[in-house]
Amino acid sequence: MASFTVTVVSASNLEDSDGPFSGSDPYVYITLDGSDSQRTATVTGSSNPEWNETLTFEGVESPASKVMSIRIYDDDWGRDDKIGECTFDLGKLVATGEPQEFERIVDDGVFTDATLKFVVQTDGSWGNPEGGVGTLNVFVKQCTGLDDADWGGTTDPYAYLTIDGCEPAQTEKMEGTINPEWNQGLSISDIENPLSKTLKIRIYDDDTFSRDDKIGECEVDLADLKMGEGVKEYELPVDWCMMGMMKQAVLTFSLEAADGWGNLP
């Protein structure tokens, strides 16, 4: 399990929820699934508070899979008013023990946005590669039990791989089979913050005179990959057969984080 700290530095241009001349009494409240919530002290009468307060999260499982919810409240006698919020995907952190600084918009203003500055620090044992851009190696082995899309044993399947913001990759076409064996290695590069991304694999039937039919699909959250684990094997269902039958086609493939990135081992 991981531990890390969040230093809440300051906010600017927060809403004066107590009136135009009174200012707000803001504090920051952070929640993370599976962990105890944390909050800062209250700063009295300020729309531009400075906290410089460090909060510690401990016992966090699979941290790169988690998203922090950060809310700013005005401390009142009755119910506290929410005056700003944002989220932060821990899958965007780099694997370093150095402090990582961020600034996020917490409220869209008419003339000026309200923003929050904070610093996250981990022990460097998990995260994205230096520079935040990584490469994923994929070895697509085989698929068994695909639908016969052409109803005559002439299905010509290929696998099409996508990650948001990257060039797609594609296997070769296998002719006339519902149990293709590709055994083909592919690489997807220039993945920005790969631990925050999802690999989508779709199986298509290559058609000459019409649009290629999608006959299967699956996806993998790249935060499933652990730092230093090497090649990870997968066997995932990619479709349901027609008429509600329970038989599933299964895709076999492996993934490898190519340049030193991954979730907590």
Side-chain angles (χ1 to χ4, degrees):
M1 294 187 181
S3 298
F4 65 91
T5 62
V6 180
T7 299
V8 183
V9 180
S10 62
S12 60
N13 302 308
L14 292 176
E15 175 189 351
D16 290 339
S17 63
D18 294 333
F21 304 107
S22 301
S24 296
D25 303 320
Y27 64 89
V28 175
Y29 186 77
I30 303 178
T31 58
L32 185 70
D33 185 39
S35 302
D36 293 334
S37 57
Q38 304 283 342
R39 62 159 286 177
T40 67
T42 298
V43 175
T44 303
S46 177
S47 297
N48 300 289
E50 294 184 6
W51 291 280
N52 293 307
E53 184 173 346
T54 298
L55 308 174
T56 301
F57 290 86
E58 298 179 328
V60 182
E61 295 185 11
S62 189
S65 305
K66 301 294 178 66
V67 176
M68 287 195 306
S69 177
I70 306 174
R71 299 180 179 91
I72 304 176
Y73 289 95
D74 174 31
D75 197 349
D76 288 322
W77 288 104
R79 181 179 179 180
D80 295 349
D81 299 316
K82 185 174 65 179
I83 55 177
E85 65 179 330
C86 67
T87 58
F88 181 74
D89 186 347
L90 297 181
K92 294 185 177 181
L93 292 171
V94 173
T96 176
E98 297 297 317
Q100 301 177 60
E101 300 179 0
F102 301 94
E103 183 172 9
R104 291 289 186 271
I105 294 173
V106 292
D107 187 30
D108 294 322
V110 176
F111 300 106
T112 306
D113 294 330
T115 60
L116 177 70
K117 292 182 180 180
F118 58 95
V119 177
V120 181
Q121 188 166 12
T122 74
D123 64 1
S125 64
W126 56 276
N128 293 297
E130 184 177 357
V133 178
T135 298
L136 178 71
N137 292 333
V138 186
F139 190 79
V140 185
K141 298 180 180 179
Q142 63 180 10
C143 194
T144 57
L146 288 170
D147 281 338
D148 188 355
D150 295 330
W151 298 98
T154 58
T155 297
D156 304 319
Y158 63 90
Y160 187 77
L161 289 64
T162 59
I163 296 175
D164 284 349
C166 302
E167 290 293 322
Q170 179 179 320
T171 66
E172 298 175 351
K173 177 186 69 176
M174 295 287 108
E175 295 186 358
T177 179
I178 58 172
N179 299 295
E181 295 184 7
W182 291 286
N183 291 313
Q184 184 173 351
L186 303 168
S187 289
I188 301 178
S189 58
D190 298 324
I191 310 171
E192 186 175 357
N193 298 319
L195 286 172
S196 68
K197 298 295 177 65
T198 298
L199 170 68
K200 296 181 179 180
I201 306 178
R202 298 178 177 89
I203 312 298
Y204 288 96
D205 172 33
D206 183 66
D207 289 320
T208 304
F209 302 108
S210 63
R211 182 179 179 179
D212 293 355
D213 298 315
K214 184 176 70 176
I215 53 177
E217 64 182 329
C218 64
E219 60 182 48
V220 177
D221 182 350
L222 295 187
D224 188 49
L225 301 179
K226 305 295 191 296
M227 181 72 81
E229 86 176 321
V231 175
K232 184 167 185 176
E233 305 288 341
Y234 290 86
E235 286 189 4
L236 296 181
V238 293
D239 78 341
W240 295 85
C241 289
M242 297 179 64
M243 306 301 292
M245 299 292 289
M246 295 301 292
K247 175 176 171 289
Q248 290 177 302
V250 175
L251 178 67
T252 305
F253 60 99
S254 64
L255 303 179
E256 181 185 22
D259 36 19
W261 56 272
N263 209 335
L264 184 73

